[in-house]
Amino acid sequence: MSMYVNLHPIKSFVRHYPALKRLGSSLAFVFDIDGVLVRGKRALPAAKRALAILDGNNRFGIKIPYILLTNGGGVSEATRCNELSEQLGIQIKSEQYIQAHTVVRSVVHRYKDTPVLVLGGRGDTLRKVAEGYGFRQVYNTLDVLAWNPSVWPFHDLTIEERISTKTADFSKIPIGAIFVFHDPRNWALDIQVMCDVLRSGGVIGAPPYVSECARKPVDLVFCNPDLVWKSEFDLPRFGQGGFKEAFQAVFKALTGTIYPYTQMGKPTELTYRFSEAVLRHNPESDIAGANAAGWKSILVHTGVYNPRQGPPKHKPTHEAEDVEEAVLWALERELQS
Ligand code: G3P
Ligand code: MG
């Protein structure tokens, strides 16, 4: 699903695209990734053609700006941009790429010196990403398991996992916030540790709080709400939203309530405003978010949405077979003299 916005009257942005200015337009595109540009590790053929069109291969002979906005993540922005540049055969720069946890940059200042738990991804990859955002005390659930294997007796750390862990005594560390950056690899371990942290007010192994009001709230942030997403497998796969549902079901069975949390990622306004700020300087969830942000939206048929299953839940500005058809339609609509 690709979206595009007309960024009238953003003078600062347009100066980078003088040809666009001459046409009196400040069109820009925001592309979803999974199901639109790639399927798993494979670039969709229409994606390369669509980006080539925006890179100047169009009848107007001009370059048109675009950014990539994904609920994916799990590695640093630079690493993913290198992968995408390889897959798409065109250089994707970090300043034109936003992934689910990039938006966390906008709240790091609140947790600079707070011990935080970062979930998802492989080994300690996301610890390094979080430290790159500015967090100073970053732990993950593998660190907890290395500290005390009886926290979750059903998983033995692999050699690779053990090497990635940071030594810490969690009986002395009051975790102040949990950030679920990307799809957890071990749902069971992560749900156990999350419940230990959230029920005790931060210290793993401390008894659960008896009454709700006594609880010192530990902040909980999920970066991607997607229940399912489109990867290589023919049918959509569970995403971070599935993990959130599983966690909340267990937490509710334990305490009778779900745990309050902050949701980031498309379609949240936070993520769309963050993207617009980048622009200025750059299905469902996508269409809903774009519509709410006042952007024009195009729904393509290569992602989760299948037109044979009836009309889409959120009405897009236009529907297209694939991203190339989407880009050509938008250019004609926005730039035709
Ligand atoms: O894990 C990624 C998935 O939830 C969707 O990614 O690129 O379609 O926003 P994307
Ligand atoms: Mg997608």
Side-chain angles (χ1 to χ4, degrees):
M1 152 33 260
S2 49
M3 307 151 260
Y4 66 92
V5 288
N6 238 320
L7 297 161
H8 298 297
I10 296 119
K11 296 288 167 274
S12 63
F13 183 74
V14 175
R15 78 169 174 275
H16 299 303
Y17 295 85
L20 205 55
K21 188 174 175 189
R22 277 196 299 281
L23 277 173
S25 170
S26 48
L27 176 64
F29 282 78
V30 181
F31 289 109
D32 174 42
I33 296 182
D34 291 303
V36 173
L37 299 179
V38 304
R39 278 250 190 98
K41 295 279 177 241
R42 193 170 52 80
L44 291 168
K48 293 184 177 178
R49 297 196 297 269
L51 297 182
I53 292 168
L54 297 183
D55 206 34
N57 178 16
N58 55 66
R59 75 181 182 84
F60 308 95
I62 60 168
K63 281 180 180 287
I64 292 146
Y66 61 89
I67 64 170
L68 280 52
L69 174 60
T70 177
N71 275 348
V75 291
S76 71
E77 285 74 10
T79 301
R80 187 74 198 279
C81 285
N82 292 341
E83 282 171 15
L84 286 164
S85 302
E86 190 78 28
Q87 285 172 306
L88 296 166
I90 192 168
Q91 198 215 355
I92 304 294
K93 299 190 281 300
S94 292
E95 59 268 23
Q96 64 181 143
Y97 172 77
I98 300 168
Q99 56 189 1
H101 41 83
T102 310
V103 182
V104 171
R105 286 177 195 273
S106 60
V107 297
V108 166
H109 59 282
R110 292 191 220 139
Y111 302 95
K112 262 202 171 357
D113 301 311
T114 304
V116 297
L117 207 55
V118 169
L119 273 56
R122 189 183 291 282
D124 66 346
T125 307
L126 288 176
R127 182 202 322 279
K128 297 188 181 108
V129 171
E131 287 165 350
Y133 292 164
F135 290 99
R136 296 197 187 123
Q137 300 182 60
V138 185
Y139 301 98
N140 61 37
T141 52
L142 297 176
D143 299 339
V144 176
L145 201 54
W147 163 67
N148 183 341
S150 66
V151 165
W152 183 247
F154 302 118
H155 179 73
D156 301 326
L157 285 173
T158 64
I159 295 167
E160 183 203 349
E161 287 173 336
R162 188 170 297 285
I163 291 166
S164 78
T165 58
K166 183 156 90 169
T167 306
D169 177 355
F170 288 94
S171 68
K172 298 191 175 57
I173 298 175
I175 300 287
I178 298 178
F179 288 87
V180 185
F181 271 23
H182 190 48
D183 305 28
R185 282 349 186 229
N186 188 330
W187 286 26
L189 165 65
D190 290 6
I191 289 173
Q192 177 67 71
V193 173
M194 285 172 78
C195 290
D196 292 334
V197 169
L198 299 172
R199 295 184 72 209
S200 69
V203 178
I204 298 169
Y209 269 95
V210 279
S211 72
E212 290 308 308
C213 54
R215 179 198 304 278
K216 180 180 85 49
V218 174
D219 294 343
L220 175 58
V221 177
F222 288 94
C223 293
N224 169 11
D226 292 349
L227 182 62
V228 295
W229 66 296
K230 191 78 179 215
S231 180
E232 269 119 340
F233 193 71
D234 290 349
L235 297 175
R237 303 291 79 189
F238 290 142
Q240 192 184 128
F243 171 77
K244 180 179 74 182
E245 295 302 325
F247 157 72
Q248 292 289 15
V250 170
F251 193 85
K252 188 165 185 195
L254 274 172
T255 66
T257 64
I258 67 157
Y259 195 84
Y261 62 95
T262 299
Q263 184 67 66
M264 294 182 173
K266 300 175 287 182
T268 65
E269 184 169 356
L270 180 68
T271 288
Y272 280 82
R273 292 288 161 251
F274 184 91
S275 314
E276 216 158 18
V278 169
L279 267 172
R280 290 185 189 290
H281 282 300
N282 236 334
E284 290 189 3
S285 68
D286 298 297
I287 300 276
N291 293 352
W295 300 3
K296 299 191 179 72
S297 54
I298 306 175
L299 179 59
V300 296
H301 297 169
T302 53
V304 171
Y305 171 66
N306 176 346
R308 282 197 298 279
Q309 289 159 356
K313 192 166 166 205
H314 302 282
K315 186 163 178 30
T317 312
H318 181 68
E319 279 192 39
E321 263 321 300
D322 60 35
V323 66
E324 181 190 17
E325 192 187 303
V327 164
L328 289 170
W329 179 85
L331 286 195
E332 289 307 321
R333 180 190 163 111
E334 295 295 326
L335 300 180
Q336 68 186 348
S337 38

